[in-house]
Amino acid sequence: MKKAWLLSAAFCAALLSGCGLTDTPNELMRAPSADGDQKSINQAVMQFLPAGSQLAVPLHPAEASAVSLQDLNGDGAPEVVAFYKSDKTDYEIGVLVLTQKQGNWQKLTSFTGIGNELDYVSFNDLTGDHIPEMLIGLGGGDGLNKELSVFSIADDKTQELMKQSYSVMAVGDLNGDQQPELALVMHDHTNFTSKAELFGAKDGKITKLTEIALDGYVNGYEQAIIGKASPTRNALFIESGVGAHSSATDLLLWENGELRNPLAKVEGEMDLTFKAYSLYSEDINGDGIIEVGTMIQPLGTEDMAMAEIPWISSYFQWDGKTGLKHVEDHYQNFAQGIDLKIPDKWRDKYSLATLPSSNSFTMRFFYYGENGKNKAELLTLQSVPQTEWSKFENGLKQKQVPYVLLKEEGKQVLIAILPQAAPNLGKSAMQEYRAMQLTADEIRQLYKPLSIP
């Protein structure tokens, strides 16, 4: 349903919000194809954008853009929708809608909303008339709840269909009716109450379908997404911050017209979705099903301080009942941009440790047998400053150190160093260790770059 085009370099305005400043304005508009006159759209937006304004890129969802093409009135011809912020005020976001008549772009409407950040933009049919509405969420800053407005356009006029406060939100088909629903999660910091509300189409209007109370004593809610929890069931995944730095996940299903959490914490028992640090749910293995992330502490790190532990991200899928089933583990380092999937043959038999270094990052993975009685290097990840890489690489080659080049662009080069010599282990431990060793191809398949979510 969503269409957007790449803008040409004609736009030289600075960007607002999470994307920051850029010299490549093509990023303002994203789409798989362009089926119109791109140049005329560029010129039209520049012409009608108020003087002293900057295009604004929405913070959410990730694919949202500052300028989009959308058929907002159902006539088969797309309108141009552009979001901007004026230099005159910090608390106003503008929306510009252009339509094409007789081959020329004209301003259909424009309006502003109160807020200093463009938190959310999407175009979805929430009324069931097969014409998308504009969902625009505006925020006032960290720690403050945001406000969503839903607009429709008919007879060249804009109508606000809904206005609602929220902390985080998601859009998707939760109840399996092939129609998108809107989920709003609201956290009242003052009264320590929270709830998730679900809205959908009924009799041509946006109607609240149901709501469910959530934990009001959390620090806040950080993310909400709607996606598959199993091959046949969709769910709403909600991430909350608890304690000083910990987090948890609510998984909400649509059942008999209500929302239900099959993983709800049972008093006196451990929360299945608790994690020491924030880790968002995602489809980690690309099978189309969302995994819930938790964290596990590596073997042999029991005496380490919480902040020093090299936590392993462990991902689980809903088992269809009241539990979770393990999918896979990853070593993830957002500061270094590293995601290394832990091979299945390592599970419960490895540990890792950061090695001190003045100007680089070094993480060593090692075989950990018989509760640490047997140890041997399996793999070392090391970053090297780009300015020192040539000299460092020559040293590796001279010493015939086997390594795999994982990332070369940027300021740091990332390599995986394989062990050189056979360790001093007993017969059974040596057999176990050898079965855990990786080839260069396996390492390349296990690694992927990681960016801050």
mmCIF file of all heavy atoms in Angstrom, residues 125-153:
data_model
loop_
_atom_site.group_PDB
_atom_site.id
_atom_site.type_symbol
_atom_site.label_atom_id
_atom_site.label_comp_id
_atom_site.label_asym_id
_atom_site.label_seq_id
_atom_site.Cartn_x
_atom_site.Cartn_y
_atom_site.Cartn_z
ATOM 1 N N ASP A 125 -5.279 1.862 5.912
ATOM 2 C CA ASP A 125 -6.745 1.907 5.873
ATOM 3 C C ASP A 125 -7.293 1.386 7.190
ATOM 4 O O ASP A 125 -7.392 0.183 7.404
ATOM 5 C CB ASP A 125 -7.255 1.075 4.696
ATOM 6 C CG ASP A 125 -8.769 0.953 4.689
ATOM 7 O OD1 ASP A 125 -9.430 1.818 5.318
ATOM 8 O OD2 ASP A 125 -9.278 0.008 4.075
ATOM 9 N N LEU A 126 -7.679 2.290 8.084
ATOM 10 C CA LEU A 126 -8.223 1.913 9.385
ATOM 11 C C LEU A 126 -9.747 1.953 9.419
ATOM 12 O O LEU A 126 -10.356 1.575 10.425
ATOM 13 C CB LEU A 126 -7.668 2.821 10.484
ATOM 14 C CG LEU A 126 -6.158 2.757 10.732
ATOM 15 C CD1 LEU A 126 -5.765 3.698 11.857
ATOM 16 C CD2 LEU A 126 -5.710 1.334 11.046
ATOM 17 N N THR A 127 -10.373 2.436 8.335
ATOM 18 C CA THR A 127 -11.835 2.543 8.319
ATOM 19 C C THR A 127 -12.498 1.449 7.484
ATOM 20 O O THR A 127 -13.716 1.294 7.517
ATOM 21 C CB THR A 127 -12.270 3.913 7.764
ATOM 22 O OG1 THR A 127 -11.780 4.045 6.418
ATOM 23 C CG2 THR A 127 -11.725 5.043 8.635
ATOM 24 N N GLY A 128 -11.701 0.711 6.691
ATOM 25 C CA GLY A 128 -12.248 -0.363 5.884
ATOM 26 C C GLY A 128 -12.795 0.062 4.540
ATOM 27 O O GLY A 128 -13.481 -0.719 3.877
ATOM 28 N N ASP A 129 -12.480 1.299 4.091
ATOM 29 C CA ASP A 129 -12.994 1.771 2.792
ATOM 30 C C ASP A 129 -11.978 1.611 1.671
ATOM 31 O O ASP A 129 -12.175 2.109 0.564
ATOM 32 C CB ASP A 129 -13.425 3.231 2.894
ATOM 33 C CG ASP A 129 -12.273 4.175 3.239
ATOM 34 O OD1 ASP A 129 -11.129 3.676 3.463
ATOM 35 O OD2 ASP A 129 -12.484 5.396 3.300
ATOM 36 N N HIS A 130 -10.863 0.926 1.959
ATOM 37 C CA HIS A 130 -9.797 0.650 0.980
ATOM 38 C C HIS A 130 -9.036 1.904 0.564
ATOM 39 O O HIS A 130 -8.357 1.902 -0.464
ATOM 40 C CB HIS A 130 -10.363 -0.058 -0.258
ATOM 41 C CG HIS A 130 -11.149 -1.289 0.068
ATOM 42 N ND1 HIS A 130 -10.578 -2.417 0.595
ATOM 43 C CD2 HIS A 130 -12.493 -1.554 -0.038
ATOM 44 C CE1 HIS A 130 -11.504 -3.344 0.796
ATOM 45 N NE2 HIS A 130 -12.668 -2.849 0.427
ATOM 46 N N ILE A 131 -9.161 2.954 1.324
ATOM 47 C CA ILE A 131 -8.406 4.188 1.087
ATOM 48 C C ILE A 131 -7.575 4.470 2.340
ATOM 49 O O ILE A 131 -8.118 4.491 3.451
ATOM 50 C CB ILE A 131 -9.336 5.382 0.808
ATOM 51 C CG1 ILE A 131 -10.192 5.104 -0.428
ATOM 52 C CG2 ILE A 131 -8.520 6.658 0.606
ATOM 53 C CD1 ILE A 131 -11.259 6.159 -0.678
ATOM 54 N N PRO A 132 -6.272 4.667 2.214
ATOM 55 C CA PRO A 132 -5.444 4.846 3.413
ATOM 56 C C PRO A 132 -5.678 6.182 4.106
ATOM 57 O O PRO A 132 -5.925 7.204 3.463
ATOM 58 C CB PRO A 132 -4.013 4.743 2.876
ATOM 59 C CG PRO A 132 -4.124 5.166 1.448
ATOM 60 C CD PRO A 132 -5.463 4.675 0.975
ATOM 61 N N GLU A 133 -5.620 6.156 5.414
ATOM 62 C CA GLU A 133 -5.607 7.379 6.220
ATOM 63 C C GLU A 133 -4.162 7.738 6.563
ATOM 64 O O GLU A 133 -3.269 6.891 6.474
ATOM 65 C CB GLU A 133 -6.403 7.193 7.514
ATOM 66 C CG GLU A 133 -7.909 7.204 7.353
ATOM 67 C CD GLU A 133 -8.452 5.910 6.784
ATOM 68 O OE1 GLU A 133 -8.053 4.841 7.272
ATOM 69 O OE2 GLU A 133 -9.267 5.984 5.840
ATOM 70 N N MET A 134 -3.957 8.987 6.938
ATOM 71 C CA MET A 134 -2.636 9.441 7.400
ATOM 72 C C MET A 134 -2.569 9.303 8.910
ATOM 73 O O MET A 134 -3.384 9.886 9.620
ATOM 74 C CB MET A 134 -2.403 10.909 7.019
ATOM 75 C CG MET A 134 -2.136 11.178 5.565
ATOM 76 S SD MET A 134 -1.621 12.907 5.280
ATOM 77 C CE MET A 134 -3.163 13.781 5.576
ATOM 78 N N LEU A 135 -1.600 8.542 9.402
ATOM 79 C CA LEU A 135 -1.365 8.407 10.833
ATOM 80 C C LEU A 135 -0.120 9.208 11.167
ATOM 81 O O LEU A 135 0.978 8.901 10.683
ATOM 82 C CB LEU A 135 -1.164 6.940 11.227
ATOM 83 C CG LEU A 135 -2.396 6.048 11.300
ATOM 84 C CD1 LEU A 135 -3.025 5.821 9.930
ATOM 85 C CD2 LEU A 135 -2.044 4.716 11.952
ATOM 86 N N ILE A 136 -0.288 10.244 11.971
ATOM 87 C CA ILE A 136 0.813 11.151 12.285
ATOM 88 C C ILE A 136 0.942 11.258 13.799
ATOM 89 O O ILE A 136 0.029 11.721 14.490
ATOM 90 C CB ILE A 136 0.578 12.550 11.681
ATOM 91 C CG1 ILE A 136 0.374 12.438 10.167
ATOM 92 C CG2 ILE A 136 1.742 13.473 12.007
ATOM 93 C CD1 ILE A 136 -0.021 13.739 9.507
ATOM 94 N N GLY A 137 2.085 10.812 14.319
ATOM 95 C CA GLY A 137 2.348 10.893 15.752
ATOM 96 C C GLY A 137 3.387 11.947 16.057
ATOM 97 O O GLY A 137 4.473 11.936 15.483
ATOM 98 N N LEU A 138 3.066 12.863 16.957
ATOM 99 C CA LEU A 138 3.968 13.954 17.325
ATOM 100 C C LEU A 138 4.373 13.830 18.785
ATOM 101 O O LEU A 138 3.561 13.458 19.642
ATOM 102 C CB LEU A 138 3.305 15.315 17.093
ATOM 103 C CG LEU A 138 2.812 15.605 15.667
ATOM 104 C CD1 LEU A 138 2.206 17.001 15.592
ATOM 105 C CD2 LEU A 138 3.931 15.453 14.653
ATOM 106 N N GLY A 139 5.632 14.124 19.072
ATOM 107 C CA GLY A 139 6.147 14.024 20.432
ATOM 108 C C GLY A 139 6.687 15.342 20.928
ATOM 109 O O GLY A 139 7.023 16.242 20.144
ATOM 110 N N GLY A 140 6.787 15.434 22.258
ATOM 111 C CA GLY A 140 7.287 16.659 22.869
ATOM 112 C C GLY A 140 8.635 16.499 23.514
ATOM 113 O O GLY A 140 9.139 17.429 24.131
ATOM 114 N N GLY A 141 9.243 15.307 23.406
ATOM 115 C CA GLY A 141 10.565 15.108 23.978
ATOM 116 C C GLY A 141 10.617 13.866 24.838
ATOM 117 O O GLY A 141 9.612 13.185 25.083
ATOM 118 N N ASP A 142 11.793 13.530 25.322
ATOM 119 C CA ASP A 142 12.007 12.332 26.127
ATOM 120 C C ASP A 142 11.159 12.357 27.388
ATOM 121 O O ASP A 142 11.034 13.386 28.060
ATOM 122 C CB ASP A 142 13.484 12.209 26.513
ATOM 123 C CG ASP A 142 14.368 11.927 25.309
ATOM 124 O OD1 ASP A 142 13.829 11.474 24.291
ATOM 125 O OD2 ASP A 142 15.586 12.167 25.407
ATOM 126 N N GLY A 143 10.576 11.196 27.716
ATOM 127 C CA GLY A 143 9.806 11.071 28.944
ATOM 128 C C GLY A 143 8.378 11.541 28.844
ATOM 129 O O GLY A 143 7.604 11.368 29.790
ATOM 130 N N LEU A 144 7.998 12.140 27.733
ATOM 131 C CA LEU A 144 6.637 12.645 27.558
ATOM 132 C C LEU A 144 5.872 11.740 26.609
ATOM 133 O O LEU A 144 6.424 11.221 25.642
ATOM 134 C CB LEU A 144 6.659 14.075 27.008
ATOM 135 C CG LEU A 144 7.358 15.134 27.868
ATOM 136 C CD1 LEU A 144 7.379 16.471 27.130
ATOM 137 C CD2 LEU A 144 6.661 15.284 29.212
ATOM 138 N N ASN A 145 4.580 11.559 26.899
ATOM 139 C CA ASN A 145 3.750 10.799 25.983
ATOM 140 C C ASN A 145 3.511 11.597 24.709
ATOM 141 O O ASN A 145 3.629 12.824 24.684
ATOM 142 C CB ASN A 145 2.420 10.436 26.642
ATOM 143 C CG ASN A 145 2.555 9.274 27.610
ATOM 144 O OD1 ASN A 145 3.189 8.276 27.292
ATOM 145 N ND2 ASN A 145 1.994 9.406 28.793
ATOM 146 N N LYS A 146 3.176 10.887 23.651
ATOM 147 C CA LYS A 146 3.013 11.508 22.342
ATOM 148 C C LYS A 146 1.532 11.552 21.985
ATOM 149 O O LYS A 146 0.694 11.027 22.719
ATOM 150 C CB LYS A 146 3.808 10.707 21.314
ATOM 151 C CG LYS A 146 5.262 10.481 21.727
ATOM 152 C CD LYS A 146 5.933 9.426 20.899
ATOM 153 C CE LYS A 146 7.310 9.087 21.425
ATOM 154 N NZ LYS A 146 7.266 8.309 22.677
ATOM 155 N N GLU A 147 1.219 12.182 20.861
ATOM 156 C CA GLU A 147 -0.170 12.272 20.443
ATOM 157 C C GLU A 147 -0.303 11.869 18.981
ATOM 158 O O GLU A 147 0.387 12.392 18.113
ATOM 159 C CB GLU A 147 -0.704 13.691 20.642
ATOM 160 C CG GLU A 147 -2.209 13.790 20.469
ATOM 161 C CD GLU A 147 -2.761 15.095 20.989
ATOM 162 O OE1 GLU A 147 -2.466 16.142 20.375
ATOM 163 O OE2 GLU A 147 -3.486 15.092 22.004
ATOM 164 N N LEU A 148 -1.212 10.925 18.749
ATOM 165 C CA LEU A 148 -1.477 10.447 17.395
ATOM 166 C C LEU A 148 -2.726 11.115 16.848
ATOM 167 O O LEU A 148 -3.749 11.194 17.527
ATOM 168 C CB LEU A 148 -1.681 8.934 17.390
ATOM 169 C CG LEU A 148 -2.192 8.335 16.076
ATOM 170 C CD1 LEU A 148 -1.106 8.363 15.012
ATOM 171 C CD2 LEU A 148 -2.716 6.921 16.280
ATOM 172 N N SER A 149 -2.645 11.581 15.618
ATOM 173 C CA SER A 149 -3.808 12.066 14.885
ATOM 174 C C SER A 149 -3.956 11.248 13.614
ATOM 175 O O SER A 149 -2.974 10.953 12.939
ATOM 176 C CB SER A 149 -3.663 13.549 14.526
ATOM 177 O OG SER A 149 -3.708 14.359 15.693
ATOM 178 N N VAL A 150 -5.192 10.863 13.301
ATOM 179 C CA VAL A 150 -5.498 10.117 12.086
ATOM 180 C C VAL A 150 -6.343 11.000 11.189
ATOM 181 O O VAL A 150 -7.410 11.478 11.601
ATOM 182 C CB VAL A 150 -6.241 8.802 12.403
ATOM 183 C CG1 VAL A 150 -6.528 8.042 11.109
ATOM 184 C CG2 VAL A 150 -5.417 7.943 13.357
ATOM 185 N N PHE A 151 -5.864 11.235 9.967
ATOM 186 C CA PHE A 151 -6.542 12.143 9.029
ATOM 187 C C PHE A 151 -6.990 11.390 7.789
ATOM 188 O O PHE A 151 -6.332 10.450 7.334
ATOM 189 C CB PHE A 151 -5.601 13.274 8.593
ATOM 190 C CG PHE A 151 -5.138 14.171 9.702
ATOM 191 C CD1 PHE A 151 -3.929 13.930 10.349
ATOM 192 C CD2 PHE A 151 -5.896 15.260 10.098
ATOM 193 C CE1 PHE A 151 -3.488 14.757 11.362
ATOM 194 C CE2 PHE A 151 -5.466 16.096 11.117
ATOM 195 C CZ PHE A 151 -4.264 15.845 11.750
ATOM 196 N N SER A 152 -8.105 11.832 7.237
ATOM 197 C CA SER A 152 -8.552 11.375 5.919
ATOM 198 C C SER A 152 -8.758 12.591 5.041
ATOM 199 O O SER A 152 -8.917 13.714 5.532
ATOM 200 C CB SER A 152 -9.855 10.573 6.021
ATOM 201 O OG SER A 152 -10.926 11.418 6.406
ATOM 202 N N ILE A 153 -8.733 12.358 3.715
ATOM 203 C CA ILE A 153 -8.980 13.440 2.767
ATOM 204 C C ILE A 153 -10.139 13.047 1.857
ATOM 205 O O ILE A 153 -10.130 11.977 1.250
ATOM 206 C CB ILE A 153 -7.724 13.741 1.926
ATOM 207 C CG1 ILE A 153 -6.636 14.355 2.807
ATOM 208 C CG2 ILE A 153 -8.063 14.683 0.774
ATOM 209 C CD1 ILE A 153 -5.372 14.721 2.069
#
